Amino acid sequence: MPSATIKIFLVHGDAKRLRTAEISNWTGKAIAGPRSEFDSMLGRDEAQNSGVYFLTGSDPESGKNAVYVGEAESIRDRLKSHLEKDFWNHVVFFISKDENLTKAHIRYLEGRLIEQAKQAGRAIVKNGQNSGAKLPESDREDMEIFLEKIHQLMPVLGADFLVPPPSSISAAPQEVLVCEIKGHKATGSLSSNGFIVFKGSHASLEQRPSAHKYPWVVNLRQRLLEEKVLVPENDVLVFTQDTEFPSPSSAATVIHGGTANGLTAWKNKSGKTLKELESV
């Protein structure tokens, strides 16, 4: 993804309230805000335009992150119809400042965004079915560039559900770290969102007494088991996919089956701890 200069405008001076986002030399624009700012967002001129939008929040049944992706020739009119949905607490919509997005364009964007959100797997996609539209080759390439800009802006606006799942493929050899307990080994690497444990890594089958002092440890391991991210195999638990954690310690805790300091639990092939590596 190319480098970019992003301009964020805080309408009320508060980063959690209504804000706009633009990228230099791009005709698109994003408007974002919490549900409590709904009327203010719809009152903006941009809301009259065609575009794509995202409603984000939590799924009431599972408690997981959830997103609804939509398109509209009038953002304002379409968003009003979503007030009956209670899962969402934040909205982001994208329009073109030159008003050059046709119905076919936004349907194409919606279809691609639903597909990408499902592939990323970071949130439950609330759409009942995929959308999409066929475009001439030149228009399709223009919309792929528009998609790229959406991907650049969404994390800046606090939403990472389009970020591709972590992968060990991009990790260089010198970045690979090892965490061992009772002869079982896990490998992983630092990532922009925390720490990735690689597919095939082993974790302790048994939980240590320290795990029960902190319910989140037990809950996290149980969730990973329910989602088949961790599966029992002989006397260990095995990671079935590359898995991202918010920190090296949370990753090490799952692997150890109890509380652990990730800065000392993770070591490189020379035996240096992550703490030592970061102090260089």
Side-chain angles (χ1 to χ4, degrees), residues 11-227:
V11 177
H12 303 294
D14 186 338
K16 295 293 185 180
R17 296 184 64 188
L18 183 59
R19 53 210 185 276
T20 69
E22 301 174 70
I23 296 177
S24 296
N25 302 315
W26 180 51
T27 59
K29 185 176 185 179
I31 312 296
R35 188 164 182 153
S36 59
E37 301 278 334
F38 189 73
D39 290 340
S40 297
M41 295 182 73
L42 296 194
R44 296 184 63 88
D45 291 340
E46 296 95 339
Q48 300 180 56
N49 293 8
S50 62
V52 291
Y53 60 90
F54 307 92
L55 305 176
T56 59
S58 298
D59 178 65
E61 294 183 4
S62 66
K64 296 179 181 179
N65 292 331
V67 60
Y68 180 90
V69 183
E71 55 82 15
E73 291 182 274
S74 170
I75 294 290
R76 176 181 297 160
D77 293 343
R78 183 62 59 82
L79 286 180
K80 287 179 180 179
S81 70
H82 290 302
L83 283 173
E84 61 187 29
K85 293 181 172 68
D86 64 355
F87 81 91
W88 65 274
N89 52 35
H90 194 269
V91 59
V92 183
F93 66 83
F94 286 82
I95 56 96
S96 175
K97 290 180 289 186
D98 60 11
E99 301 183 4
N100 201 31
L101 289 177
T102 68
K103 180 65 173 179
H105 288 152
I106 57 178
R107 281 184 61 82
Y108 176 85
L109 289 172
E110 180 192 44
R112 292 281 285 127
L113 288 163
I114 292 172
E115 175 189 357
Q116 291 170 345
K118 288 181 176 179
Q119 289 176 346
R122 294 181 180 273
I124 295 173
V125 179
K126 305 289 281 186
N127 296 72
Q129 59 185 18
N130 285 356
S131 180
K134 291 185 177 180
L135 293 174
E137 184 178 12
S138 59
D139 284 33
R140 189 167 63 248
E141 290 303 311
D142 286 342
M143 290 304 98
E144 287 298 320
I145 292 174
F146 203 96
L147 277 171
E148 184 178 85
K149 303 304 182 184
I150 290 176
H151 275 263
Q152 285 185 309
L153 281 178
M154 286 301 283
V156 178
L157 294 171
D160 66 354
F161 60 85
L162 292 174
V163 177
S167 173
S168 58
I169 296 174
S170 61
Q174 64 269 24
E175 297 177 323
V176 175
L177 301 172
V178 177
C179 179
E180 294 186 77
I181 179 171
K182 297 181 179 178
H184 305 311
K185 181 186 294 186
T187 56
S189 174
L190 290 169
S191 71
S192 58
N193 289 321
F195 198 91
I196 301 172
V197 175
F198 298 154
K199 178 180 178 180
S201 292
H202 289 180
S204 173
L205 183 63
E206 301 297 328
Q207 291 184 150
R208 297 189 300 182
S210 62
H212 299 283
K213 296 180 181 179
Y214 304 93
W216 70 268
V217 178
V218 177
N219 294 339
L220 178 54
R221 280 171 59 96
Q222 184 59 38
R223 178 172 64 81
L224 293 175
L225 285 165
E226 291 173 355
E227 295 176 354

